[in-house]
Amino acid sequence: MSATVYAVPDLGISAIAKVEVPQDQLPLLVTLLEPSEVYPFKISQIASYHVADIVVEHVDGTSTHVMVRWTGDNPAAVSLDNGASFFCGGSDGFSNGALRIVHLLNKYDYQNREAGG
């Protein structure tokens, strides 16, 4: 799994061109991304910041692209169809899910750079 993080100065997010997610960290990130229910509110292209794109590589050679949008103190809004429809990522137990995802991606990027990657 790899990701691109987009700069969102209003949220204090810096861009990361590409970060690889460590294998042992996949379950947590998948939990935060997994579409759980249709997102009940309208996604604003201006207010619901596009914070990340994640690419999940499958063992059969296919990949799934996940768009992540910030929705405030809610689960992340995730789209598997480039923004045509959105779902709540994770569950209600993950408030501010998009920032949590971005913080994890920043952590992995830092760890990769520290390891010389």
Side-chain angles (χ1 to χ4, degrees), residues 15-93:
I16 302 172
K18 184 175 183 180
V19 57
E20 296 292 332
V21 178
Q23 284 292 114
D24 65 333
Q25 297 298 308
L26 290 176
L28 175 57
L29 201 53
V30 167
T31 298
L32 291 167
L33 291 170
E34 185 175 22
S36 61
E37 61 187 71
V38 173
Y39 193 76
F41 307 107
K42 180 172 174 22
I43 296 295
S44 164
Q45 299 297 312
I46 297 169
S48 299
Y49 299 110
H50 182 180
V51 296
D53 285 323
I54 297 178
V55 178
V56 181
E57 300 289 339
H58 305 287
V59 293
D60 67 0
T62 62
S63 60
T64 301
H65 297 261
V66 183
M67 174 191 289
V68 180
R69 285 194 171 269
W70 175 81
T71 59
D73 193 28
N74 300 301
V78 297
S79 177
L80 304 174
D81 57 10
N82 203 31
S85 57
F86 285 91
F87 295 84
C88 294
S91 68
D92 291 339

